Amino acid sequence: METVPATTVESAASDAVPTSRTGARSAGARAAVEEGVPAETRRGYAGDWQRFTAWCAGTGRQALPATGDTLTEYMSCLRGEGKSPATMDRALASFTVAHAAAGVHKPSTIGVRRVLKGYETERKKGKDRCRRPRRAGAATPPVLRRMIATMDTDTAIGRSDTAVLLLGFSLAARRPPLGTATSWTGPTPPRSRRG
C-alpha cells in the first residue's frame, strides 16, 4: 500500500482550500481565497479528515488518494454509528477538499451518494421520532399576534417588520387580505358555486 507523508495529509485537511495546481496564485490571492472559508468549516473538515484517516489506518485502507469503495465503506460505517446525513455529507465535502488540496484526483462518489440517499429515506420513514428530520411548526394567528405585539410600530423598521410578517403569513396561509390576517379565527367555509 502506497502511503502519503503525514504532513501532506494534515495540510490538506487543515487548509480546507484547494491550492492552485499551476502555482500561479500570489500570496494575496491565496489569502483572499482562504478568507472565504470560515474557521468553523476548517475545523469541521480537519476533524472529519482526522477521523477518516484513523478509520483507514484501522482497516488497512489508503486515505489519500482514496477510492470510491473506501469512501462508500466509510460512509456505511458512519451510517452504522447513527451519524446524521448532514454529518455524513460534510464528511464527503471534507474528502473532496482534502483531495483537491493535495492535488490528487477526487474519487467516485456514486456509491456514497446512494448510501446517503437510502439512509435519508430510512430516517424519514422511521418510527423513532428522534431520528426524523425536525420541522418547525407553522405560525398560527395567536402566535402572529404575539409576534406583532413585540414590534415597535413607531419606527420605520418596526412598521416594515410588521408588514413583512403580515404579508408572509397572508401568502403562506392563502387567507383573506392583509387587513384581516390578525383577526382570522379559523378556516373559512367554502363558498357554493351555484349558477
Side-chain angles (χ1 to χ4, degrees):
M1 173 171 52
E2 183 181 332
T3 59
V4 176
T7 55
T8 303
V9 174
E10 289 168 9
S11 67
S14 64
D15 288 347
V17 176
T19 56
S20 169
R21 293 188 181 175
T22 62
R25 287 188 190 152
S26 67
R30 283 193 304 273
V33 170
E34 287 182 21
E35 285 177 14
V37 181
E40 191 62 34
T41 301
R42 290 174 197 270
R43 281 192 293 276
Y45 283 3
D48 289 336
W49 185 253
Q50 188 177 34
R51 285 184 289 279
F52 176 64
T53 55
W55 178 84
C56 285
T59 58
R61 293 183 178 263
Q62 183 174 326
L64 193 65
T67 65
D69 290 339
T70 298
L71 294 183
T72 303
E73 286 292 330
Y74 182 67
M75 287 296 178
S76 297
C77 178
L78 292 180
R79 177 183 177 165
E81 292 174 1
K83 301 293 184 192
S84 73
T87 299
M88 295 167 65
D89 202 37
R90 189 193 67 197
L92 180 58
S94 71
F95 306 149
T96 302
V97 167
H99 278 71
V104 295
H105 197 283
K106 172 181 110 164
S108 169
T109 59
I110 293 171
V112 172
R113 290 287 173 201
R114 289 185 179 158
V115 168
L116 273 170
K117 186 172 177 84
Y119 188 39
E120 287 171 346
T121 301
E122 175 189 314
R123 285 175 64 107
K124 285 177 185 172
K125 292 180 180 178
K127 294 183 180 183
D128 184 3
R129 301 191 85 191
C130 295
R131 296 175 64 90
R132 285 190 205 155
R134 286 179 253 164
R135 293 185 182 184
T140 60
V143 171
L144 181 64
R145 283 188 207 101
R146 285 195 306 270
M147 290 169 34
I148 291 172
T150 64
M151 300 290 174
D152 180 11
T153 55
D154 293 335
T155 64
I157 192 105
R159 289 188 298 273
S160 171
D161 288 349
T162 301
V164 168
L165 282 173
L166 289 171
L167 181 63
F169 185 81
S170 262
L171 293 175
R174 292 176 181 80
R175 295 290 168 204
L178 289 177
T180 60
T182 56
S183 63
W184 177 66
T185 57
T188 307
R191 294 182 191 176
S192 106
R193 291 188 168 189
R194 293 186 185 185

